[in-house]
Amino acid sequence: MTLNRGVYRGRADSDMFIGWAKTPAVDRRFLVAALPTMLAGVAGAAYAVASNLDDPGAGAWKTGALYRATGVLATRPYPMLRVADATAPDGVRSVLIVAQGKCTSALKLPANDGRSYAVAGALIERGARRMIEVPLMLGDWLTPADESAALPPPRIEPLGRKTLAGQIMDTKCFFGVMRPSRGKTHKACASLCIRGGIPPSFWAKGRDGRESVLLMTDPDGGPLGESILPFIADPVRIDGEVFRVDDLLQFRVATHAIARI
Amino acid sequence: MGHQYKAVQWNVAKIVYDLYCLAALAAFIGIFMTVGLAAHPSGHRADPVVLLIRALGTAAFLMLTIVLAIGPLARLSPRFNPMLYNRRHFGVMTFLVAAAHFGLATFWYHASGPLNPFVSLLVSNPLYQSAEGFPFEVFGLAAFAILFVMAATSHDYWLNNLSAPVWKALHMLVYAAFGLLVLHVAYGALMTEKSAIYPALTVAAFAIVAALHLWTGLRERRRDAGMRGVSASDGWIDVCAPADIPDKRAVIAPLPSGERVAIFRDGAKICAMTNACRHQNGPLGEGCIKDGAVTCPWHGWQYRPEDGVSPPPYTEKIATYDTRLSAGRVFVKVRPNAPGQRSQFIMMGAAP
Ligand code: FES
């Protein structure tokens, strides 16, 4: 070795890949093996990432067909239609009403007068929970109907004070518009929806693995304000009052009773 | 002076390169969507838009990991040079995939609400003071801004007009972008998804990039330290015997000043020039002599060995170094000549 100390050879092989020239055989051989291998690696990565995603949850957003429901309109705590339904406990099914997009304040509903209406829109459904998304562009999504006598007033049953652990989520995404609709990557969306007036819900998973979803309201059963925004989609523990109102569970909470876990 | 700038200078290798990258990207997205939609029973099917957002995000992360691995791989073996050759297009493609991920996520999660989508992006996830709840969106946004600047200045036009050091510094930001993306993933997807495969893959990507850079970086440092102790009292340094330089190839001498010199042999002729290619600082000494010109291993720019000027129609110039043969040894002068200046070089057998 007569190279001075510290001097090193660049390359000694006779061929070199130059993009604009003919590819040397040694590089061609390498590429013939490497390119399919890399492609297999890329395919494997796609498979590994896509096949291990969490279950997005049960929920459907049926945009294909127009869904119609007729019932008594209620606006407090959140806009909903109380629909006679023999399959529901006590024969009443609550169908929440939201607008397209993430703003529900634009609904402009008539006063809470106990009258009946027909509502048309897209059905959003998760298990027995229903929601109807109305296209505001369509002028006549809400029309008066005349079966007001059919429904008894809402049955409100107090189930006691409870401390529940879980996540605050917006009902619209959770009922089926977004799957998955939980966790940190969905947090901003949930927070924006709730800021826009979409009813917040509490998703709690009991020790037995059973999940329950409760509509969240303020301590008086009215709509919750923006004060809950910082807690959305985080694991939290809340101390509040649980009620059954028709077929829905209601969780009446004060913001100061929300504790991050 | 300077190059004739065309939008893109195409050749077969570049077209094949781009088509391969596009095919791999299409395969990735296609498999991701198909597998993702089939992963859960029909009542629990993932939303295709959310899935596409995830496919694009994962693809962009994987692509940036590959972009960053190619450089050190090419240093370790010239077999990876073909992957380096059109890496810039791959980089721009990475930006476009990131842009699609960013646009779709912003639209899907932040549009048609009570806030401007871009305001929502910054405020809807408000726990800035929290170590664990910190909004992952911000990391992604910052990384995207860097990729945008890099893609926008990727053309050689900017390399020349911003000057090489500024351009290089700007493009070193890609490491910051990669770090930000790791945080974006760690604070977003990894805090949402339960499977352990995601942290494992993220750590693997980071570790591969870090290890490759550490390895080649240390090797380079060791090499650069090489001639630090060598004295050059008369302004010349003993490099090697002429036969130590393979024909049409070079040896590289890291001078005590820190500069690296490439000393090429073309038959009986021995010429020295800076090791740094005028284009993107490619290692000329790892290149070869082709058609009588020193050819850079990265993108094939060429320089005449004697004066460091690119053959016509190009006019690039690099610094040359004088060489002389003394007692059967090749000496190189430590002071460089001006770029493009004809050097004093060795013709073996011609001088006594
Ligand atoms: S660095 Fe691009 S040709 Fe040399």
Side-chain angles (χ1 to χ4, degrees):
Chain A
M1 187 66 146
T2 49
L3 286 175
N4 200 346
R5 193 168 67 81
V7 177
Y8 58 96
R9 284 203 178 82
R11 303 277 175 207
D13 36 353
S14 58
D15 286 320
M16 182 177 102
F17 172 84
I18 308 171
W20 46 261
K22 193 165 169 295
T23 304
V26 51
D27 285 305
R28 200 147 355 105
R29 271 198 309 277
F30 177 75
L31 289 174
V32 162
L35 295 185
T37 308
M38 289 194 305
L39 203 57
V42 162
Y47 181 85
V49 175
S51 62
N52 283 293
L53 291 169
D54 290 346
D55 182 345
W61 182 19
K62 299 180 172 158
T63 47
L66 199 64
Y67 172 76
R68 288 170 211 281
T70 304
V72 176
L73 184 71
T75 53
R76 194 183 135 90
Y78 306 104
M80 63 179 87
L81 208 59
R82 301 180 57 235
V83 178
D85 181 344
T87 65
D90 301 329
V92 177
R93 171 90 55 219
S94 310
V95 181
L96 291 165
I97 305 172
V98 295
Q100 270 179 345
K102 300 183 178 82
C103 281
T104 283
S105 45
L107 280 175
K108 302 214 178 50
L109 289 168
N112 213 351
D113 55 6
R115 301 211 1 225
S116 283
Y117 290 88
V119 177
L123 176 65
I124 300 167
E125 188 176 32
R126 183 175 180 130
R129 294 175 277 271
R130 288 211 186 130
M131 174 181 271
I132 187 162
E133 180 195 47
V134 298
L136 291 177
M137 264 66 115
L138 209 77
D140 56 353
W141 58 268
L142 181 77
T143 46
D146 46 29
E147 327 160 32
S148 19
L151 283 189
R155 192 168 80 95
I156 304 178
E157 179 193 348
L159 298 179
R161 199 156 192 94
K162 293 220 160 72
T163 302
L164 300 177
Q167 273 186 29
I168 305 175
M169 279 165 312
D170 72 286
T171 43
K172 186 175 183 182
C173 291
F174 185 63
F175 281 16
V177 168
M178 290 215 187
R179 301 170 309 275
S181 52
R182 276 207 289 270
K184 197 161 167 198
T185 48
H186 188 259
K187 184 175 181 171
C189 177
S191 148
L192 192 63
C193 283
I194 291 171
R195 194 194 283 268
I198 287 169
S201 63
F202 196 68
W203 174 77
K205 203 162 188 176
R207 275 206 201 98
D208 52 358
R210 266 202 7 220
E211 60 175 58
S212 35
V213 177
L214 306 91
L215 199 62
M216 291 179 76
T217 69
D218 72 8
D220 306 321
L224 262 178
E226 294 193 356
S227 54
I228 62 163
L229 290 183
F231 299 102
I232 289 166
D234 280 337
V236 288
R237 183 174 292 118
I238 311 183
D239 182 49
E241 212 84 55
V242 178
F243 289 81
R244 175 178 294 286
V245 182
D246 287 335
D247 61 331
L248 289 186
L249 288 175
Q250 238 182 46
F251 196 23
R252 300 190 177 175
V253 304
T255 312
H256 62 76
I258 307 179
R260 226 178 278 287
I261 301 178
Chain B
M1 51 177 276
H3 230 69
Q4 294 289 306
Y5 294 109
K6 294 189 202 131
V8 174
Q9 296 171 329
W10 286 104
N11 59 36
V12 176
K14 287 191 183 182
I15 292 170
V16 170
Y17 188 110
D18 287 8
L19 287 179
Y20 178 82
C21 291
L22 283 174
L25 176 62
F28 184 90
I29 303 279
I31 292 171
F32 195 109
M33 294 299 290
T34 312
V35 172
L37 284 174
H40 299 286
S42 68
H44 288 232
R45 192 147 286 164
D47 176 359
V49 181
V50 173
L51 214 50
L52 185 57
I53 290 172
R54 293 173 168 200
L56 291 166
T58 314
F61 184 77
L62 179 62
M63 288 167 83
L64 196 63
T65 306
I66 296 172
V67 164
L68 291 180
I70 292 175
L73 282 175
R75 295 225 151 93
L76 294 173
S77 161
R79 297 288 80 78
F80 288 98
N81 276 348
M83 294 167 199
L84 193 83
Y85 182 57
N86 213 15
R87 182 174 53 166
R88 184 183 311 209
H89 284 197
F90 190 47
V92 172
M93 231 180 268
T94 304
F95 161 74
L96 292 176
V97 173
H101 168 76
F102 168 67
L104 198 56
T106 306
F107 167 75
W108 197 239
Y109 290 132
H110 299 276
S112 73
L115 298 174
N116 175 307
F118 297 102
V119 174
S120 170
L121 193 64
L122 297 176
V123 306
S124 286
N125 202 347
L127 298 182
Y128 281 86
Q129 73 288 355
S130 151
E132 171 188 18
F134 194 91
F136 70 99
E137 289 90 344
V138 180
F139 293 125
L141 191 64
F144 180 69
I146 292 175
L147 293 184
F148 172 78
V149 172
M150 289 185 54
T153 60
S154 64
H155 196 267
D156 278 348
Y157 170 84
W158 288 101
L159 173 54
N160 255 19
N161 283 272
L162 291 171
S163 86
V166 173
W167 191 86
K168 186 140 194 243
L170 200 67
H171 283 240
M172 287 301 275
L173 282 176
V174 71
Y175 294 105
F178 184 64
L180 286 164
L181 276 192
V182 170
L183 290 174
H184 178 64
V185 171
Y187 275 77
L190 298 193
M191 287 193 175
T192 305
E193 292 293 322
K194 290 198 255 327
S195 167
I197 192 174
Y198 302 114
L201 287 175
T202 312
V203 168
F206 183 80
I208 287 172
V209 169
L212 281 172
H213 280 82
L214 222 60
W215 184 3
T216 49
L218 285 176
R219 197 175 73 157
E220 221 120 287
R221 242 181 76 179
R222 220 175 34 237
R223 282 179 165 179
D224 279 348
M227 298 192 84
R228 206 150 283 157
V230 174
S231 115
S233 46
D234 60 346
W236 292 82
I237 276 193
D238 177 357
V239 176
C240 60
D244 290 328
I245 315 176
D247 189 26
K248 307 241 184 296
R249 290 280 178 168
V251 298
I252 300 160
L255 297 184
S257 63
E259 294 288 318
R260 286 181 217 157
V261 183
I263 302 117
F264 275 91
R265 182 160 78 86
D266 186 4
K269 188 165 75 178
I270 293 174
C271 304
M273 68 213 63
T274 170
N275 189 51
C277 178
R278 174 81 180 70
H279 179 219
Q280 280 178 30
N281 283 333
L284 286 177
E286 290 172 31
C288 68
I289 299 214
K290 168 129 183 126
D291 306 331
V294 166
T295 307
C296 179
W298 281 8
H299 313 96
W301 282 30
Q302 292 191 303
Y303 308 92
R304 283 195 300 250
E306 316 81 47
D307 59 7
V309 179
S310 294
Y314 304 110
T315 53
E316 266 62 43
K317 291 178 187 136
I318 52 172
T320 57
Y321 287 79
D322 291 341
T323 48
R324 74 163 197 233
L325 197 61
S326 156
R329 302 285 297 172
V330 175
F331 283 75
V332 63
K333 196 173 176 179
V334 293
R335 282 255 321 260
N337 298 316
Q341 187 186 320
R342 193 179 169 82
S343 64
Q344 170 196 323
F345 58 91
I346 301 170
M347 269 318 269
M348 284 180 304

